[in-house]
Amino acid sequence: MLSEILVSLFLLLGAAFALIGAIGLASLPDFFTRLHGPTKATTLGVGGMLVASIIHFTGQGRVTVHEVLIITFLFITAPVSAHLLIRAALHLGMRKSAYKATEGESGNGH
Amino acid sequence: MILRKLLPLPGLSLVLLLIWLLLQNTAAPGHLLLGTILAIVIPRWCADFWPRQLAVRRVGVMVAFLATVLWDIVVANVSVARILLSPAPRLRPGFFELPVSVTNQVALVLLANTISLTPGTVAARLSADRSRLLVHCLDMDDEATLITQIKNRYERPLKEIFE
Amino acid sequence: MMLETSITIALAIISLAMVLGLWRLWRGPTLPDRVMALDKLYINAAALLILLGISFDSDLYFEVALLIAIIGFISTAAVCKYIMRGDIIE
């Protein structure tokens, strides 16, 4: 019973963070701000799901810890892919277009 | 000495054994044996092109640092969630340059990854001489306090661990 | 009972998140935006598989989630490399 409550809690928390990341991805104004949502909130969201999975299977008597592999992998790769994405964007010269509203420049982001 | 010859990279061997056991999701003797064989054989094959062993000088600081980072990830995610869910998000996005004083490559990578993982900041580009890191910030309040915060909270422990 | 309800709710939330990701993939407007949407979609797909694993009480979904996480990261890295260099293997 206790494990069921814990599993539900982590599942819903994880899903909520994933949704927050998606809202950030869909609604923020430019690429650089959008990058913040998916890379971190989503990673934490999946982390919550995996913790729920560990508790669920362990609570049934099958000791399961291999979800730790996915958690570690995601926490190592998420900042790397964020870094690669932002470098790709800087390479395409999108930094100027992000500022064109404030500086009055007409940079073309693409 | 014989141990050193058998295990040229003890850290890598330990990690390989752990990953093998986690992949099989068991600690049965058979897999323990197979994992140990893999953990001995694989590092011997690739010891020549592996960069030199990395020295963690202070394990206690390392554990405390990991705990701080994990806690910060959760706290900062909640604060970003609050910004995003408020009816009219008030964002002040912008780039700033963080002067970097760590020289160890692993420490530098860890610093950049930590900055990227804690919400609100993403490490974007390292200058060619490795002295400045361009960082994008979601809600920039005050550049100077942010820089000192990152330096005190993440850079100093990393320096203690690796240098 | 409680677990089933929360799994259903979580499935709905993740699906909604994936729809938002698809919307960003469709809208763009720039190439990195689309790559980022794909990056988000694969992480959410891994989450979905883990949910299904809990829901069907099966261990098998773990391997699929792990593979999706690995392949997704490699493809994001490859596409970013391609954007930056015009070449993947130098």
mmCIF file of all heavy atoms in Angstrom, chain C residues 52-88:
data_model
loop_
_atom_site.group_PDB
_atom_site.id
_atom_site.type_symbol
_atom_site.label_atom_id
_atom_site.label_comp_id
_atom_site.label_asym_id
_atom_site.label_seq_id
_atom_site.Cartn_x
_atom_site.Cartn_y
_atom_site.Cartn_z
ATOM 1 N N LEU C 52 4.496 2.093 -19.437
ATOM 2 C CA LEU C 52 3.872 0.860 -19.922
ATOM 3 C C LEU C 52 4.446 -0.352 -19.200
ATOM 4 O O LEU C 52 3.717 -1.303 -18.884
ATOM 5 C CB LEU C 52 4.081 0.717 -21.437
ATOM 6 C CG LEU C 52 3.278 1.691 -22.283
ATOM 7 C CD1 LEU C 52 3.619 1.503 -23.741
ATOM 8 C CD2 LEU C 52 1.799 1.468 -22.067
ATOM 9 N N GLY C 53 5.763 -0.297 -18.928
ATOM 10 C CA GLY C 53 6.372 -1.395 -18.192
ATOM 11 C C GLY C 53 5.749 -1.569 -16.823
ATOM 12 O O GLY C 53 5.468 -2.688 -16.392
ATOM 13 N N ILE C 54 5.503 -0.446 -16.120
ATOM 14 C CA ILE C 54 4.852 -0.532 -14.804
ATOM 15 C C ILE C 54 3.429 -1.035 -14.973
ATOM 16 O O ILE C 54 2.956 -1.904 -14.242
ATOM 17 C CB ILE C 54 4.867 0.837 -14.112
ATOM 18 C CG1 ILE C 54 6.297 1.293 -13.865
ATOM 19 C CG2 ILE C 54 4.114 0.764 -12.798
ATOM 20 C CD1 ILE C 54 6.398 2.663 -13.268
ATOM 21 N N SER C 55 2.755 -0.511 -16.005
ATOM 22 C CA SER C 55 1.346 -0.836 -16.187
ATOM 23 C C SER C 55 1.144 -2.317 -16.534
ATOM 24 O O SER C 55 0.218 -2.956 -16.035
ATOM 25 C CB SER C 55 0.780 0.079 -17.267
ATOM 26 O OG SER C 55 -0.321 -0.494 -17.876
ATOM 27 N N PHE C 56 2.019 -2.864 -17.391
ATOM 28 C CA PHE C 56 1.893 -4.277 -17.760
ATOM 29 C C PHE C 56 2.705 -5.185 -16.843
ATOM 30 O O PHE C 56 2.763 -6.396 -17.072
ATOM 31 C CB PHE C 56 2.350 -4.497 -19.207
ATOM 32 C CG PHE C 56 1.486 -3.822 -20.217
ATOM 33 C CD1 PHE C 56 2.034 -3.246 -21.351
ATOM 34 C CD2 PHE C 56 0.121 -3.739 -20.025
ATOM 35 C CE1 PHE C 56 1.234 -2.608 -22.278
ATOM 36 C CE2 PHE C 56 -0.678 -3.109 -20.952
ATOM 37 C CZ PHE C 56 -0.125 -2.540 -22.079
ATOM 38 N N ASP C 57 3.371 -4.585 -15.850
ATOM 39 C CA ASP C 57 4.134 -5.381 -14.900
ATOM 40 C C ASP C 57 5.212 -6.205 -15.581
ATOM 41 O O ASP C 57 5.404 -7.378 -15.271
ATOM 42 C CB ASP C 57 3.194 -6.321 -14.142
ATOM 43 C CG ASP C 57 3.340 -6.081 -12.653
ATOM 44 O OD1 ASP C 57 4.373 -5.522 -12.275
ATOM 45 O OD2 ASP C 57 2.427 -6.428 -11.896
ATOM 46 N N SER C 58 5.912 -5.587 -16.522
ATOM 47 C CA SER C 58 6.892 -6.359 -17.280
ATOM 48 C C SER C 58 8.240 -5.662 -17.273
ATOM 49 O O SER C 58 8.337 -4.445 -17.333
ATOM 50 C CB SER C 58 6.405 -6.533 -18.716
ATOM 51 O OG SER C 58 7.487 -6.843 -19.554
ATOM 52 N N ASP C 59 9.290 -6.469 -17.214
ATOM 53 C CA ASP C 59 10.657 -5.968 -17.216
ATOM 54 C C ASP C 59 11.154 -5.639 -18.611
ATOM 55 O O ASP C 59 12.132 -4.950 -18.783
ATOM 56 C CB ASP C 59 11.575 -7.039 -16.618
ATOM 57 C CG ASP C 59 12.127 -6.600 -15.279
ATOM 58 O OD1 ASP C 59 11.734 -5.518 -14.829
ATOM 59 O OD2 ASP C 59 12.946 -7.334 -14.709
ATOM 60 N N LEU C 60 10.438 -6.193 -19.615
ATOM 61 C CA LEU C 60 10.965 -6.145 -20.976
ATOM 62 C C LEU C 60 11.104 -4.726 -21.503
ATOM 63 O O LEU C 60 11.961 -4.455 -22.333
ATOM 64 C CB LEU C 60 10.054 -6.945 -21.913
ATOM 65 C CG LEU C 60 10.060 -8.446 -21.676
ATOM 66 C CD1 LEU C 60 9.002 -9.111 -22.519
ATOM 67 C CD2 LEU C 60 11.432 -9.001 -22.011
ATOM 68 N N TYR C 61 10.248 -3.834 -21.010
ATOM 69 C CA TYR C 61 10.261 -2.485 -21.559
ATOM 70 C C TYR C 61 11.514 -1.715 -21.189
ATOM 71 O O TYR C 61 11.828 -0.709 -21.806
ATOM 72 C CB TYR C 61 9.012 -1.727 -21.107
ATOM 73 C CG TYR C 61 7.763 -2.257 -21.735
ATOM 74 C CD1 TYR C 61 7.084 -3.321 -21.170
ATOM 75 C CD2 TYR C 61 7.284 -1.720 -22.914
ATOM 76 C CE1 TYR C 61 5.954 -3.828 -21.763
ATOM 77 C CE2 TYR C 61 6.150 -2.224 -23.515
ATOM 78 C CZ TYR C 61 5.492 -3.283 -22.939
ATOM 79 O OH TYR C 61 4.386 -3.787 -23.532
ATOM 80 N N PHE C 62 12.214 -2.185 -20.153
ATOM 81 C CA PHE C 62 13.409 -1.469 -19.724
ATOM 82 C C PHE C 62 14.442 -1.385 -20.842
ATOM 83 O O PHE C 62 14.981 -0.320 -21.120
ATOM 84 C CB PHE C 62 14.010 -2.159 -18.502
ATOM 85 C CG PHE C 62 15.422 -1.760 -18.240
ATOM 86 C CD1 PHE C 62 15.698 -0.543 -17.638
ATOM 87 C CD2 PHE C 62 16.485 -2.564 -18.625
ATOM 88 C CE1 PHE C 62 17.001 -0.160 -17.410
ATOM 89 C CE2 PHE C 62 17.785 -2.178 -18.410
ATOM 90 C CZ PHE C 62 18.035 -0.974 -17.799
ATOM 91 N N GLU C 63 14.702 -2.525 -21.489
ATOM 92 C CA GLU C 63 15.715 -2.535 -22.547
ATOM 93 C C GLU C 63 15.335 -1.572 -23.669
ATOM 94 O O GLU C 63 16.176 -0.859 -24.205
ATOM 95 C CB GLU C 63 15.890 -3.936 -23.129
ATOM 96 C CG GLU C 63 16.992 -4.750 -22.487
ATOM 97 C CD GLU C 63 16.501 -5.498 -21.261
ATOM 98 O OE1 GLU C 63 15.277 -5.449 -21.014
ATOM 99 O OE2 GLU C 63 17.325 -6.097 -20.564
ATOM 100 N N VAL C 64 14.036 -1.568 -24.008
ATOM 101 C CA VAL C 64 13.597 -0.685 -25.091
ATOM 102 C C VAL C 64 13.840 0.768 -24.698
ATOM 103 O O VAL C 64 14.362 1.567 -25.493
ATOM 104 C CB VAL C 64 12.101 -0.920 -25.389
ATOM 105 C CG1 VAL C 64 11.708 -0.188 -26.637
ATOM 106 C CG2 VAL C 64 11.812 -2.386 -25.517
ATOM 107 N N ALA C 65 13.491 1.116 -23.456
ATOM 108 C CA ALA C 65 13.682 2.498 -23.006
ATOM 109 C C ALA C 65 15.159 2.871 -23.029
ATOM 110 O O ALA C 65 15.531 3.963 -23.476
ATOM 111 C CB ALA C 65 13.106 2.676 -21.605
ATOM 112 N N LEU C 66 16.009 1.948 -22.588
ATOM 113 C CA LEU C 66 17.450 2.222 -22.582
ATOM 114 C C LEU C 66 17.963 2.446 -24.000
ATOM 115 O O LEU C 66 18.705 3.400 -24.271
ATOM 116 C CB LEU C 66 18.192 1.043 -21.930
ATOM 117 C CG LEU C 66 19.697 1.207 -21.758
ATOM 118 C CD1 LEU C 66 19.991 2.359 -20.824
ATOM 119 C CD2 LEU C 66 20.323 -0.061 -21.226
ATOM 120 N N LEU C 67 17.508 1.580 -24.931
ATOM 121 C CA LEU C 67 17.969 1.716 -26.316
ATOM 122 C C LEU C 67 17.488 3.029 -26.918
ATOM 123 O O LEU C 67 18.243 3.712 -27.623
ATOM 124 C CB LEU C 67 17.478 0.533 -27.156
ATOM 125 C CG LEU C 67 18.292 -0.734 -26.955
ATOM 126 C CD1 LEU C 67 17.725 -1.851 -27.776
ATOM 127 C CD2 LEU C 67 19.733 -0.485 -27.352
ATOM 128 N N ILE C 68 16.233 3.390 -26.633
ATOM 129 C CA ILE C 68 15.731 4.656 -27.180
ATOM 130 C C ILE C 68 16.543 5.821 -26.639
ATOM 131 O O ILE C 68 16.909 6.742 -27.374
ATOM 132 C CB ILE C 68 14.235 4.828 -26.845
ATOM 133 C CG1 ILE C 68 13.420 3.884 -27.719
ATOM 134 C CG2 ILE C 68 13.786 6.260 -27.080
ATOM 135 C CD1 ILE C 68 11.973 4.169 -27.719
ATOM 136 N N ALA C 69 16.871 5.774 -25.334
ATOM 137 C CA ALA C 69 17.669 6.859 -24.751
ATOM 138 C C ALA C 69 19.022 6.955 -25.444
ATOM 139 O O ALA C 69 19.475 8.049 -25.802
ATOM 140 C CB ALA C 69 17.837 6.632 -23.255
ATOM 141 N N ILE C 70 19.664 5.799 -25.676
ATOM 142 C CA ILE C 70 20.999 5.822 -26.289
ATOM 143 C C ILE C 70 20.927 6.312 -27.736
ATOM 144 O O ILE C 70 21.643 7.229 -28.144
ATOM 145 C CB ILE C 70 21.631 4.413 -26.237
ATOM 146 C CG1 ILE C 70 21.936 4.031 -24.796
ATOM 147 C CG2 ILE C 70 22.902 4.377 -27.052
ATOM 148 C CD1 ILE C 70 22.367 2.606 -24.617
ATOM 149 N N ILE C 71 19.999 5.713 -28.522
ATOM 150 C CA ILE C 71 19.929 6.073 -29.936
ATOM 151 C C ILE C 71 19.505 7.529 -30.098
ATOM 152 O O ILE C 71 20.016 8.258 -30.951
ATOM 153 C CB ILE C 71 18.958 5.122 -30.674
ATOM 154 C CG1 ILE C 71 19.552 3.726 -30.685
ATOM 155 C CG2 ILE C 71 18.735 5.587 -32.098
ATOM 156 C CD1 ILE C 71 18.600 2.677 -31.177
ATOM 157 N N GLY C 72 18.576 7.980 -29.231
ATOM 158 C CA GLY C 72 18.129 9.375 -29.306
ATOM 159 C C GLY C 72 19.273 10.337 -29.071
ATOM 160 O O GLY C 72 19.438 11.306 -29.812
ATOM 161 N N PHE C 73 20.090 10.064 -28.063
ATOM 162 C CA PHE C 73 21.207 10.975 -27.793
ATOM 163 C C PHE C 73 22.176 11.001 -28.958
ATOM 164 O O PHE C 73 22.615 12.064 -29.399
ATOM 165 C CB PHE C 73 21.939 10.561 -26.523
ATOM 166 C CG PHE C 73 23.239 11.291 -26.351
ATOM 167 C CD1 PHE C 73 23.241 12.655 -26.115
ATOM 168 C CD2 PHE C 73 24.443 10.631 -26.459
ATOM 169 C CE1 PHE C 73 24.428 13.345 -25.982
ATOM 170 C CE2 PHE C 73 25.631 11.313 -26.330
ATOM 171 C CZ PHE C 73 25.625 12.672 -26.092
ATOM 172 N N ILE C 74 22.483 9.809 -29.491
ATOM 173 C CA ILE C 74 23.449 9.764 -30.597
ATOM 174 C C ILE C 74 22.903 10.522 -31.802
ATOM 175 O O ILE C 74 23.635 11.260 -32.467
ATOM 176 C CB ILE C 74 23.770 8.301 -30.959
ATOM 177 C CG1 ILE C 74 24.541 7.664 -29.809
ATOM 178 C CG2 ILE C 74 24.612 8.233 -32.223
ATOM 179 C CD1 ILE C 74 24.764 6.197 -29.972
ATOM 180 N N SER C 75 21.585 10.369 -32.081
ATOM 181 C CA SER C 75 21.082 11.064 -33.271
ATOM 182 C C SER C 75 21.067 12.577 -33.050
ATOM 183 O O SER C 75 21.385 13.336 -33.968
ATOM 184 C CB SER C 75 19.704 10.545 -33.663
ATOM 185 O OG SER C 75 18.954 10.237 -32.548
ATOM 186 N N THR C 76 20.722 13.033 -31.830
ATOM 187 C CA THR C 76 20.796 14.476 -31.579
ATOM 188 C C THR C 76 22.215 14.984 -31.794
ATOM 189 O O THR C 76 22.438 16.001 -32.462
ATOM 190 C CB THR C 76 20.365 14.790 -30.133
ATOM 191 O OG1 THR C 76 19.083 14.251 -29.906
ATOM 192 C CG2 THR C 76 20.324 16.279 -29.894
ATOM 193 N N ALA C 77 23.182 14.252 -31.231
ATOM 194 C CA ALA C 77 24.573 14.676 -31.373
ATOM 195 C C ALA C 77 24.976 14.698 -32.841
ATOM 196 O O ALA C 77 25.630 15.639 -33.308
ATOM 197 C CB ALA C 77 25.489 13.734 -30.581
ATOM 198 N N ALA C 78 24.553 13.662 -33.600
ATOM 199 C CA ALA C 78 24.940 13.593 -35.010
ATOM 200 C C ALA C 78 24.339 14.755 -35.792
ATOM 201 O O ALA C 78 25.030 15.390 -36.595
ATOM 202 C CB ALA C 78 24.483 12.260 -35.602
ATOM 203 N N VAL C 79 23.061 15.063 -35.545
ATOM 204 C CA VAL C 79 22.433 16.150 -36.310
ATOM 205 C C VAL C 79 23.075 17.488 -35.956
ATOM 206 O O VAL C 79 23.334 18.314 -36.838
ATOM 207 C CB VAL C 79 20.907 16.164 -36.057
ATOM 208 C CG1 VAL C 79 20.282 17.343 -36.756
ATOM 209 C CG2 VAL C 79 20.291 14.890 -36.539
ATOM 210 N N CYS C 80 23.364 17.704 -34.655
ATOM 211 C CA CYS C 80 24.016 18.964 -34.270
ATOM 212 C C CYS C 80 25.376 19.089 -34.929
ATOM 213 O O CYS C 80 25.750 20.151 -35.416
ATOM 214 C CB CYS C 80 24.176 19.037 -32.758
ATOM 215 S SG CYS C 80 22.634 19.313 -31.919
ATOM 216 N N LYS C 81 26.118 17.991 -34.937
ATOM 217 C CA LYS C 81 27.418 17.977 -35.579
ATOM 218 C C LYS C 81 27.257 18.333 -37.067
ATOM 219 O O LYS C 81 28.052 19.073 -37.633
ATOM 220 C CB LYS C 81 27.972 16.560 -35.439
ATOM 221 C CG LYS C 81 29.445 16.446 -35.488
ATOM 222 C CD LYS C 81 30.062 16.665 -34.156
ATOM 223 C CE LYS C 81 31.570 16.667 -34.369
ATOM 224 N NZ LYS C 81 32.254 17.404 -33.363
ATOM 225 N N TYR C 82 26.207 17.765 -37.665
ATOM 226 C CA TYR C 82 25.984 18.027 -39.083
ATOM 227 C C TYR C 82 25.697 19.496 -39.320
ATOM 228 O O TYR C 82 26.201 20.111 -40.268
ATOM 229 C CB TYR C 82 24.817 17.166 -39.587
ATOM 230 C CG TYR C 82 24.524 17.377 -41.041
ATOM 231 C CD1 TYR C 82 25.374 16.863 -42.007
ATOM 232 C CD2 TYR C 82 23.431 18.122 -41.438
ATOM 233 C CE1 TYR C 82 25.128 17.085 -43.339
ATOM 234 C CE2 TYR C 82 23.178 18.344 -42.772
ATOM 235 C CZ TYR C 82 24.028 17.820 -43.719
ATOM 236 O OH TYR C 82 23.786 18.044 -45.037
ATOM 237 N N ILE C 83 24.882 20.107 -38.419
ATOM 238 C CA ILE C 83 24.578 21.532 -38.571
ATOM 239 C C ILE C 83 25.852 22.356 -38.459
ATOM 240 O O ILE C 83 26.094 23.291 -39.217
ATOM 241 C CB ILE C 83 23.562 21.986 -37.501
ATOM 242 C CG1 ILE C 83 22.228 21.276 -37.706
ATOM 243 C CG2 ILE C 83 23.372 23.493 -37.543
ATOM 244 C CD1 ILE C 83 21.240 21.572 -36.617
ATOM 245 N N MET C 84 26.720 21.964 -37.503
ATOM 246 C CA MET C 84 27.898 22.790 -37.255
ATOM 247 C C MET C 84 28.964 22.605 -38.314
ATOM 248 O O MET C 84 29.646 23.543 -38.687
ATOM 249 C CB MET C 84 28.476 22.460 -35.877
ATOM 250 C CG MET C 84 27.734 23.142 -34.756
ATOM 251 S SD MET C 84 28.547 22.916 -33.196
ATOM 252 C CE MET C 84 28.098 21.263 -32.793
ATOM 253 N N ARG C 85 29.142 21.370 -38.797
ATOM 254 C CA ARG C 85 30.269 21.118 -39.685
ATOM 255 C C ARG C 85 29.864 20.766 -41.106
ATOM 256 O O ARG C 85 30.713 20.719 -41.984
ATOM 257 C CB ARG C 85 31.129 19.971 -39.130
ATOM 258 C CG ARG C 85 31.643 20.215 -37.748
ATOM 259 C CD ARG C 85 32.829 21.143 -37.766
ATOM 260 N NE ARG C 85 33.079 21.688 -36.449
ATOM 261 C CZ ARG C 85 33.874 21.130 -35.551
ATOM 262 N NH1 ARG C 85 34.492 20.034 -35.842
ATOM 263 N NH2 ARG C 85 34.054 21.678 -34.381
ATOM 264 N N GLY C 86 28.596 20.422 -41.316
ATOM 265 C CA GLY C 86 28.211 19.949 -42.633
ATOM 266 C C GLY C 86 28.712 18.546 -42.911
ATOM 267 O O GLY C 86 28.736 18.083 -44.038
ATOM 268 N N ASP C 87 29.101 17.855 -41.826
ATOM 269 C CA ASP C 87 29.705 16.547 -41.963
ATOM 270 C C ASP C 87 29.568 15.852 -40.618
ATOM 271 O O ASP C 87 29.657 16.494 -39.584
ATOM 272 C CB ASP C 87 31.197 16.716 -42.298
ATOM 273 C CG ASP C 87 31.725 15.520 -43.049
ATOM 274 O OD1 ASP C 87 31.004 14.516 -43.114
ATOM 275 O OD2 ASP C 87 32.858 15.606 -43.543
ATOM 276 N N ILE C 88 29.336 14.542 -40.615
ATOM 277 C CA ILE C 88 29.176 13.871 -39.332
ATOM 278 C C ILE C 88 30.462 13.204 -38.896
ATOM 279 O O ILE C 88 30.940 13.365 -37.788
ATOM 280 C CB ILE C 88 28.034 12.834 -39.401
ATOM 281 C CG1 ILE C 88 26.717 13.559 -39.650
ATOM 282 C CG2 ILE C 88 27.948 12.063 -38.106
ATOM 283 C CD1 ILE C 88 25.574 12.644 -39.909
#
